């Protein structure tokens, strides 16, 4: 493999390709261009390779001439794990949207609402882990035609130099913090201090992880300064999820229990902030299903 981009992914590529531009976001490599002997170029982009298993081939003027997909086995693996992640986020988001609706409408007991949240949290963690698995199996070899391929399948890898992996790893960590909060919610007769320590603090930590993950994802998809890219499906997935993360964060802030009264800061914001954030993740998961390798 060639270390064309220090502090970036190691990519095996034809020796006669000449390294061109290396683009970074926040110190992470997000896009690499190699020049070929015929004047054309091959462009590798972090998210496109991770999610869709493809690279772009451009002519001497820089115009896109074709998109080359991954070899069938690699493409099928990326597609399958993408479906698992997308569906898990849809179901998890739906459960997190149902929970506050039940609370607002007074349907079921508190335990029923907590159970709905817990089920949603399990699906969120499943989606987070599936995303880590996908990022752990990013194709790292390109042949003369620009076709991507990967090594043997891995269920985990430590790749903190890759912005895509780091983004989903932080997201997964956030779902685990949510899990701690959701399990602690079943405890009875907690004091305000205990509630804030076992429920509110892990929840807020998870919210911060979601926001950080979304920021990294925006850096990855924008290849530099964060901006608006409405023609790119990946940008929409990231942007919608980041809006959802903001609403989760606001709901988390509002869920702080006042020691003096043992009541939350703003119960309405807790429920509706969670509901809107959850709907965003449902939409993001549905959009993610379309961000798959071409077949």
């Amino acid at each position: 493999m060639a270390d064309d981009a220090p502090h970036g992914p190691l990519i095996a590529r034809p020796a006669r390709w000449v390294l061109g531009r290396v683009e970074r976001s926040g110190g992470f490599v997000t896009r690499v261009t190699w020049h070929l002997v015929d004047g054309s170029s091959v462009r590798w982009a972090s998210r496109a390779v991770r999610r869709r298993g493809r690279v772009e081939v451009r002519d001497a003027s820089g115009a896109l001439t074709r998109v080359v997909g991954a070899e069938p086995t690699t493409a099928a693996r990326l597609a399958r794990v993408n479906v698992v992640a997308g569906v898990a986020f849809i179901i998890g988001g739906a459960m997190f949207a149902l929970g506050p609706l039940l609370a607002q409408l007074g349907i079921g007991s508190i335990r029923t609402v907590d159970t709905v949240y817990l089920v949603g949290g399990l699906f969120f963690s499943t989606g987070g882990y599936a995303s880590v698995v996908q990022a752990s199996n990013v194709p790292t070899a390109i042949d003369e035609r620009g076709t991507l391929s990967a090594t043997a399948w891995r269920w985990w890898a430590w790749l903190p130099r890759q912005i895509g992996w780091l983004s989903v790893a932080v997201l997964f960590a956030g779902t685990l913090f949510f899990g701690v909060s959701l399990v602690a919610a079943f405890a009875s007769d907690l004091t305000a201090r205990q509630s804030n320590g076992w429920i509110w603090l892990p929840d807020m930590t998870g919210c911060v992880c979601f926001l950080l993950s979304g920021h990294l994802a925006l850096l990855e998809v924008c290849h530099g300064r964060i901006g608006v890219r409405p023609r790119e499906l990946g940008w929409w997935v990231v942007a919608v999820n980041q809006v959802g993360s903001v609403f989760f964060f606001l709901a988390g802030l509002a869920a702080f229990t006042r020691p003096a009264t043992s009541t939350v800061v703003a119960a309405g914001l807790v429920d509706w902030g969670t509901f809107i954030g959850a709907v965003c993740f449902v939409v993001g998961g549905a959009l993610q299903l379309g961000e798959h390798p071409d077949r």
Side-chain angles (χ1 to χ4, degrees):
M1 294 187 180
D3 190 7
D4 286 323
H7 307 298
L10 296 176
I11 304 169
R13 45 82 176 173
R16 58 182 178 176
W17 289 9
V18 178
L19 179 64
R21 185 179 183 187
V22 177
E23 297 173 69
R24 302 175 184 273
S25 289
F28 295 95
V29 176
T30 62
R31 192 156 58 187
V32 180
T33 300
W34 295 280
H35 298 296
L36 282 59
V37 293
D38 62 358
S40 62
S41 61
V42 173
R43 178 176 292 176
W44 174 101
S46 175
R47 188 176 181 91
V49 170
R50 176 166 56 91
R51 294 284 193 178
R52 314 196 74 164
R54 68 184 195 182
V55 297
E56 297 177 350
V57 178
R58 296 175 176 267
D59 62 21
S61 68
L64 178 65
T65 57
R66 60 192 174 97
V67 174
V68 182
E71 57 87 19
T73 299
T74 300
R77 288 171 173 172
L78 293 176
R80 283 196 296 267
V81 74
N82 187 67
V83 169
V84 172
V87 171
F89 283 126
I90 291 173
I91 297 175
M95 292 295 100
F96 267 72
L98 177 61
L101 284 181
L102 294 178
Q104 284 291 314
L105 297 175
I107 299 175
S109 64
I110 295 177
R111 285 290 173 264
T112 299
V113 175
D114 288 342
T115 300
V116 170
Y117 277 131
L118 182 61
V119 172
L122 290 173
F123 277 101
F124 265 134
S125 292
T126 299
Y129 174 66
S131 298
V132 172
V133 171
Q134 185 183 50
S136 298
N137 290 278
V138 172
T140 55
I142 310 177
D143 64 17
E144 290 282 356
R145 298 172 297 174
T147 303
L148 292 160
S149 60
T151 57
W153 187 256
R154 299 180 293 182
W155 294 103
W156 173 262
W158 177 251
L159 303 170
R161 295 198 307 175
Q162 298 185 20
I163 190 171
W165 182 92
L166 187 59
S167 173
V168 295
V170 171
L171 176 70
F172 179 49
T175 68
L176 298 182
F177 280 111
F178 281 152
V180 173
S181 174
L182 295 171
V183 171
F186 284 87
S188 301
D189 301 323
L190 293 178
T191 65
R193 182 175 181 179
Q194 291 172 328
S195 179
N196 288 330
W198 287 102
I199 300 175
W200 181 80
L201 184 58
D203 179 62
M204 284 303 301
T205 305
C207 290
V208 171
C209 286
F210 270 45
L211 285 172
L212 177 57
S213 171
H215 181 73
L216 290 170
L218 283 170
L219 288 175
E220 180 188 28
V221 77
C222 292
H223 307 292
R225 182 177 300 176
I226 293 176
V228 178
R229 295 174 176 253
R231 295 184 179 181
E232 296 184 21
L233 177 59
W235 181 87
W236 281 106
V237 174
V238 173
V240 170
N241 284 340
Q242 187 69 334
V243 171
S245 297
V246 171
F247 277 99
F248 276 164
F249 181 76
L250 294 175
L253 289 177
F256 181 80
T257 301
R258 295 187 179 96
T261 61
S262 294
T263 59
V264 299
V265 172
L269 180 56
V270 172
D271 287 337
W272 291 115
T274 301
F275 174 79
I276 296 172
V279 170
C280 287
F281 273 91
V282 171
V283 174
L287 291 174
Q288 181 176 329
L289 294 178
E291 195 181 15
H292 57 75
D294 298 327
R295 296 183 180 181

